[in-house]
Amino acid sequence: GLLTGYFVLPAVLSQFSKGKRRRDWEVPLTSLFFSERTVMPPFPAELQQLLTRCSLCQLCTCVDSSPHVSTMIFTYCEEDGVVIMSSRLDTDKVRNIRANPRVAVLFHDFPVNSEEFSPKGCAHKSPGTGRSPGTGRTNSVTLYGEVLILHTKSQTSDQGLEEARMREQKYREMHLRMHPTYSHFIEGDDVAIFVVVARSGRTCDIKDRVKQWQAGK
């Protein structure tokens, strides 16, 4: 149903974590990854809407059948078709991604306040709007893909270093422009940039209609 993503993400990620893991998390970031290896969108319209008007998502990582979910600030880079996040290096999610880069990310535009979300709350009109609270909040989208960690200060290999440095700077500046109030989550020597490359996904609307989606199709 609509909020299925909250409950199925850990189960899905536990299956991902059983696959082959990346021993060297510092993947050489050359243009090859973002061209030949990356299946670019188009994203479905529902996801495009959420990515452009929302600021928060839920990131699920998993290692050894132990799921971990984090609420994350994100920025959508439409030019590259990727989702940008950031995190300190000393977090569980970074440790998990280094061991298993496969992730699931849940986006939605539904209110989290129970008074707004519940049927009773929706029966009341918003002052001056003539509409019920929650109007226009119509979809949840779960993306499945991989995360690249960009933190060139800790990269030990010179291979692809310049490309990685340019992308890290580009995405960090973009993320900061979108969320200047939360600079403490984005700037700092110990803060890495996440690049989420989507491979597939599913959308679910308010009427419980589910659609599957695969990048490039």
PDB file of all heavy atoms in Angstrom, residues 59 61 68 70 72 86-98 149 190 192 194:
ATOM      1  N   LEU A  59      16.628   6.918   3.704  1.00  0.00           N
ATOM      2  CA  LEU A  59      17.680   6.111   3.080  1.00  0.00           C
ATOM      3  C   LEU A  59      17.858   4.832   3.878  1.00  0.00           C
ATOM      4  O   LEU A  59      18.113   4.878   5.083  1.00  0.00           O
ATOM      5  CB  LEU A  59      18.992   6.894   3.037  1.00  0.00           C
ATOM      6  CG  LEU A  59      20.242   6.131   2.610  1.00  0.00           C
ATOM      7  CD1 LEU A  59      20.177   5.768   1.126  1.00  0.00           C
ATOM      8  CD2 LEU A  59      21.495   6.944   2.913  1.00  0.00           C
ATOM      9  N   THR A  61      20.016   1.328   4.279  1.00  0.00           N
ATOM     10  CA  THR A  61      21.203   0.536   3.960  1.00  0.00           C
ATOM     11  C   THR A  61      21.117  -0.772   4.737  1.00  0.00           C
ATOM     12  O   THR A  61      20.334  -0.890   5.681  1.00  0.00           O
ATOM     13  CB  THR A  61      22.485   1.286   4.353  1.00  0.00           C
ATOM     14  OG1 THR A  61      22.480   1.521   5.781  1.00  0.00           O
ATOM     15  CG2 THR A  61      22.584   2.623   3.626  1.00  0.00           C
ATOM     16  N   HIS A  68      19.391  -0.461   8.324  1.00  0.00           N
ATOM     17  CA  HIS A  68      19.565   0.830   8.989  1.00  0.00           C
ATOM     18  C   HIS A  68      18.848   1.877   8.144  1.00  0.00           C
ATOM     19  O   HIS A  68      19.069   1.965   6.933  1.00  0.00           O
ATOM     20  CB  HIS A  68      21.050   1.166   9.105  1.00  0.00           C
ATOM     21  CG  HIS A  68      21.317   2.505   9.738  1.00  0.00           C
ATOM     22  ND1 HIS A  68      21.229   2.705  11.097  1.00  0.00           N
ATOM     23  CD2 HIS A  68      21.670   3.704   9.199  1.00  0.00           C
ATOM     24  CE1 HIS A  68      21.520   3.971  11.375  1.00  0.00           C
ATOM     25  NE2 HIS A  68      21.785   4.599  10.243  1.00  0.00           N
ATOM     26  N   SER A  70      17.775   6.012   7.713  1.00  0.00           N
ATOM     27  CA  SER A  70      18.107   7.383   8.106  1.00  0.00           C
ATOM     28  C   SER A  70      17.220   8.357   7.336  1.00  0.00           C
ATOM     29  O   SER A  70      16.982   8.182   6.146  1.00  0.00           O
ATOM     30  CB  SER A  70      19.574   7.703   7.787  1.00  0.00           C
ATOM     31  OG  SER A  70      20.451   6.779   8.380  1.00  0.00           O
ATOM     32  N   MET A  72      17.115  11.746   5.534  1.00  0.00           N
ATOM     33  CA  MET A  72      18.184  12.498   4.883  1.00  0.00           C
ATOM     34  C   MET A  72      17.636  13.723   4.151  1.00  0.00           C
ATOM     35  O   MET A  72      16.563  13.682   3.569  1.00  0.00           O
ATOM     36  CB  MET A  72      18.909  11.609   3.869  1.00  0.00           C
ATOM     37  CG  MET A  72      19.477  10.318   4.427  1.00  0.00           C
ATOM     38  SD  MET A  72      20.899  10.577   5.498  1.00  0.00           S
ATOM     39  CE  MET A  72      22.141  11.059   4.291  1.00  0.00           C
ATOM     40  N   SER A  86      24.457  13.934   1.939  1.00  0.00           N
ATOM     41  CA  SER A  86      25.751  14.087   2.605  1.00  0.00           C
ATOM     42  C   SER A  86      25.692  13.456   3.984  1.00  0.00           C
ATOM     43  O   SER A  86      24.612  13.302   4.572  1.00  0.00           O
ATOM     44  CB  SER A  86      26.134  15.570   2.713  1.00  0.00           C
ATOM     45  OG  SER A  86      25.142  16.301   3.404  1.00  0.00           O
ATOM     46  N   SER A  87      26.872  13.093   4.497  1.00  0.00           N
ATOM     47  CA  SER A  87      26.933  12.456   5.811  1.00  0.00           C
ATOM     48  C   SER A  87      28.352  12.519   6.360  1.00  0.00           C
ATOM     49  O   SER A  87      29.324  12.510   5.597  1.00  0.00           O
ATOM     50  CB  SER A  87      26.506  10.983   5.707  1.00  0.00           C
ATOM     51  OG  SER A  87      26.723  10.300   6.926  1.00  0.00           O
ATOM     52  N   ARG A  88      28.468  12.578   7.672  1.00  0.00           N
ATOM     53  CA  ARG A  88      29.781  12.406   8.301  1.00  0.00           C
ATOM     54  C   ARG A  88      30.284  10.997   8.005  1.00  0.00           C
ATOM     55  O   ARG A  88      29.505  10.073   7.787  1.00  0.00           O
ATOM     56  CB  ARG A  88      29.702  12.603   9.813  1.00  0.00           C
ATOM     57  CG  ARG A  88      29.354  14.003  10.257  1.00  0.00           C
ATOM     58  CD  ARG A  88      29.636  14.168  11.760  1.00  0.00           C
ATOM     59  NE  ARG A  88      29.301  12.965  12.516  1.00  0.00           N
ATOM     60  CZ  ARG A  88      28.096  12.689  13.001  1.00  0.00           C
ATOM     61  NH1 ARG A  88      27.087  13.525  12.782  1.00  0.00           N
ATOM     62  NH2 ARG A  88      27.888  11.575  13.680  1.00  0.00           N
ATOM     63  N   LEU A  89      31.572  10.837   8.031  1.00  0.00           N
ATOM     64  CA  LEU A  89      32.165   9.541   7.712  1.00  0.00           C
ATOM     65  C   LEU A  89      32.010   8.520   8.833  1.00  0.00           C
ATOM     66  O   LEU A  89      32.078   7.312   8.587  1.00  0.00           O
ATOM     67  CB  LEU A  89      33.654   9.716   7.387  1.00  0.00           C
ATOM     68  CG  LEU A  89      33.957  10.471   6.086  1.00  0.00           C
ATOM     69  CD1 LEU A  89      35.451  10.759   5.987  1.00  0.00           C
ATOM     70  CD2 LEU A  89      33.486   9.676   4.882  1.00  0.00           C
ATOM     71  N   ASP A  90      31.803   8.986  10.063  1.00  0.00           N
ATOM     72  CA  ASP A  90      31.768   8.068  11.200  1.00  0.00           C
ATOM     73  C   ASP A  90      30.346   7.628  11.546  1.00  0.00           C
ATOM     74  O   ASP A  90      29.986   7.518  12.718  1.00  0.00           O
ATOM     75  CB  ASP A  90      32.424   8.720  12.424  1.00  0.00           C
ATOM     76  CG  ASP A  90      31.689   9.994  12.861  1.00  0.00           C
ATOM     77  OD1 ASP A  90      30.877  10.515  12.074  1.00  0.00           O
ATOM     78  OD2 ASP A  90      31.944  10.464  13.991  1.00  0.00           O
ATOM     79  N   THR A  91      29.542   7.332  10.528  1.00  0.00           N
ATOM     80  CA  THR A  91      28.150   6.937  10.766  1.00  0.00           C
ATOM     81  C   THR A  91      27.918   5.499  10.323  1.00  0.00           C
ATOM     82  O   THR A  91      28.667   4.945   9.513  1.00  0.00           O
ATOM     83  CB  THR A  91      27.183   7.856   9.987  1.00  0.00           C
ATOM     84  OG1 THR A  91      27.462   7.760   8.586  1.00  0.00           O
ATOM     85  CG2 THR A  91      27.339   9.309  10.434  1.00  0.00           C
ATOM     86  N   ASP A  92      26.850   4.924  10.831  1.00  0.00           N
ATOM     87  CA  ASP A  92      26.497   3.551  10.459  1.00  0.00           C
ATOM     88  C   ASP A  92      26.198   3.448   8.965  1.00  0.00           C
ATOM     89  O   ASP A  92      26.555   2.466   8.316  1.00  0.00           O
ATOM     90  CB  ASP A  92      25.280   3.072  11.255  1.00  0.00           C
ATOM     91  CG  ASP A  92      25.602   2.791  12.707  1.00  0.00           C
ATOM     92  OD1 ASP A  92      26.801   2.558  13.016  1.00  0.00           O
ATOM     93  OD2 ASP A  92      24.680   2.800  13.538  1.00  0.00           O
ATOM     94  N   LYS A  93      25.537   4.450   8.426  1.00  0.00           N
ATOM     95  CA  LYS A  93      25.181   4.367   7.001  1.00  0.00           C
ATOM     96  C   LYS A  93      26.411   4.370   6.103  1.00  0.00           C
ATOM     97  O   LYS A  93      26.441   3.668   5.094  1.00  0.00           O
ATOM     98  CB  LYS A  93      24.213   5.481   6.613  1.00  0.00           C
ATOM     99  CG  LYS A  93      24.615   6.874   6.949  1.00  0.00           C
ATOM    100  CD  LYS A  93      23.502   7.847   6.580  1.00  0.00           C
ATOM    101  CE  LYS A  93      23.721   9.226   7.204  1.00  0.00           C
ATOM    102  NZ  LYS A  93      23.424   9.194   8.662  1.00  0.00           N
ATOM    103  N   VAL A  94      27.433   5.135   6.467  1.00  0.00           N
ATOM    104  CA  VAL A  94      28.671   5.126   5.682  1.00  0.00           C
ATOM    105  C   VAL A  94      29.352   3.772   5.791  1.00  0.00           C
ATOM    106  O   VAL A  94      29.804   3.211   4.781  1.00  0.00           O
ATOM    107  CB  VAL A  94      29.621   6.256   6.131  1.00  0.00           C
ATOM    108  CG1 VAL A  94      31.004   6.069   5.502  1.00  0.00           C
ATOM    109  CG2 VAL A  94      29.068   7.608   5.718  1.00  0.00           C
ATOM    110  N   ARG A  95      29.410   3.226   6.992  1.00  0.00           N
ATOM    111  CA  ARG A  95      30.019   1.902   7.164  1.00  0.00           C
ATOM    112  C   ARG A  95      29.258   0.855   6.350  1.00  0.00           C
ATOM    113  O   ARG A  95      29.860  -0.025   5.728  1.00  0.00           O
ATOM    114  CB  ARG A  95      30.049   1.536   8.653  1.00  0.00           C
ATOM    115  CG  ARG A  95      31.116   2.277   9.447  1.00  0.00           C
ATOM    116  CD  ARG A  95      31.217   1.761  10.868  1.00  0.00           C
ATOM    117  NE  ARG A  95      30.119   2.258  11.686  1.00  0.00           N
ATOM    118  CZ  ARG A  95      30.156   3.408  12.368  1.00  0.00           C
ATOM    119  NH1 ARG A  95      31.230   4.179  12.299  1.00  0.00           N
ATOM    120  NH2 ARG A  95      29.139   3.790  13.114  1.00  0.00           N
ATOM    121  N   ASN A  96      27.951   0.950   6.355  1.00  0.00           N
ATOM    122  CA  ASN A  96      27.143   0.001   5.590  1.00  0.00           C
ATOM    123  C   ASN A  96      27.369   0.144   4.090  1.00  0.00           C
ATOM    124  O   ASN A  96      27.508  -0.852   3.370  1.00  0.00           O
ATOM    125  CB  ASN A  96      25.659   0.198   5.901  1.00  0.00           C
ATOM    126  CG  ASN A  96      25.264  -0.311   7.266  1.00  0.00           C
ATOM    127  OD1 ASN A  96      26.084  -0.888   7.980  1.00  0.00           O
ATOM    128  ND2 ASN A  96      24.029  -0.085   7.652  1.00  0.00           N
ATOM    129  N   ILE A  97      27.398   1.376   3.601  1.00  0.00           N
ATOM    130  CA  ILE A  97      27.565   1.605   2.166  1.00  0.00           C
ATOM    131  C   ILE A  97      28.943   1.159   1.702  1.00  0.00           C
ATOM    132  O   ILE A  97      29.100   0.639   0.593  1.00  0.00           O
ATOM    133  CB  ILE A  97      27.322   3.095   1.833  1.00  0.00           C
ATOM    134  CG1 ILE A  97      25.846   3.432   2.029  1.00  0.00           C
ATOM    135  CG2 ILE A  97      27.745   3.420   0.397  1.00  0.00           C
ATOM    136  CD1 ILE A  97      25.540   4.912   1.993  1.00  0.00           C
ATOM    137  N   ARG A  98      29.942   1.332   2.520  1.00  0.00           N
ATOM    138  CA  ARG A  98      31.279   0.871   2.148  1.00  0.00           C
ATOM    139  C   ARG A  98      31.297  -0.643   1.964  1.00  0.00           C
ATOM    140  O   ARG A  98      31.998  -1.165   1.100  1.00  0.00           O
ATOM    141  CB  ARG A  98      32.293   1.274   3.229  1.00  0.00           C
ATOM    142  CG  ARG A  98      32.629   2.754   3.229  1.00  0.00           C
ATOM    143  CD  ARG A  98      33.547   3.106   4.377  1.00  0.00           C
ATOM    144  NE  ARG A  98      33.987   4.500   4.292  1.00  0.00           N
ATOM    145  CZ  ARG A  98      34.728   5.083   5.211  1.00  0.00           C
ATOM    146  NH1 ARG A  98      35.110   4.417   6.294  1.00  0.00           N
ATOM    147  NH2 ARG A  98      35.092   6.337   5.073  1.00  0.00           N
ATOM    148  N   ILE A 149      30.309   7.086  -2.645  1.00  0.00           N
ATOM    149  CA  ILE A 149      30.758   8.012  -1.610  1.00  0.00           C
ATOM    150  C   ILE A 149      31.868   8.877  -2.189  1.00  0.00           C
ATOM    151  O   ILE A 149      32.905   8.366  -2.618  1.00  0.00           O
ATOM    152  CB  ILE A 149      31.277   7.261  -0.368  1.00  0.00           C
ATOM    153  CG1 ILE A 149      30.164   6.407   0.235  1.00  0.00           C
ATOM    154  CG2 ILE A 149      31.818   8.240   0.661  1.00  0.00           C
ATOM    155  CD1 ILE A 149      30.610   5.554   1.411  1.00  0.00           C
ATOM    156  N   ASP A 190      35.128  16.134   7.515  1.00  0.00           N
ATOM    157  CA  ASP A 190      34.703  14.752   7.768  1.00  0.00           C
ATOM    158  C   ASP A 190      33.342  14.448   7.155  1.00  0.00           C
ATOM    159  O   ASP A 190      32.721  13.429   7.485  1.00  0.00           O
ATOM    160  CB  ASP A 190      34.663  14.484   9.276  1.00  0.00           C
ATOM    161  CG  ASP A 190      33.644  15.360   9.998  1.00  0.00           C
ATOM    162  OD1 ASP A 190      33.275  16.423   9.445  1.00  0.00           O
ATOM    163  OD2 ASP A 190      33.227  14.988  11.117  1.00  0.00           O
ATOM    164  N   ALA A 192      31.163  13.531   3.854  1.00  0.00           N
ATOM    165  CA  ALA A 192      31.232  12.990   2.497  1.00  0.00           C
ATOM    166  C   ALA A 192      29.948  13.303   1.739  1.00  0.00           C
ATOM    167  O   ALA A 192      28.894  13.531   2.328  1.00  0.00           O
ATOM    168  CB  ALA A 192      31.449  11.484   2.536  1.00  0.00           C
ATOM    169  N   PHE A 194      27.157  11.842  -0.893  1.00  0.00           N
ATOM    170  CA  PHE A 194      26.581  10.618  -1.445  1.00  0.00           C
ATOM    171  C   PHE A 194      25.994  10.924  -2.818  1.00  0.00           C
ATOM    172  O   PHE A 194      25.289  11.922  -2.991  1.00  0.00           O
ATOM    173  CB  PHE A 194      25.440  10.078  -0.568  1.00  0.00           C
ATOM    174  CG  PHE A 194      25.856   9.506   0.752  1.00  0.00           C
ATOM    175  CD1 PHE A 194      24.892   9.069   1.648  1.00  0.00           C
ATOM    176  CD2 PHE A 194      27.185   9.404   1.106  1.00  0.00           C
ATOM    177  CE1 PHE A 194      25.244   8.527   2.860  1.00  0.00           C
ATOM    178  CE2 PHE A 194      27.550   8.881   2.335  1.00  0.00           C
ATOM    179  CZ  PHE A 194      26.581   8.429   3.214  1.00  0.00           C
TER     180      PHE A 194
END
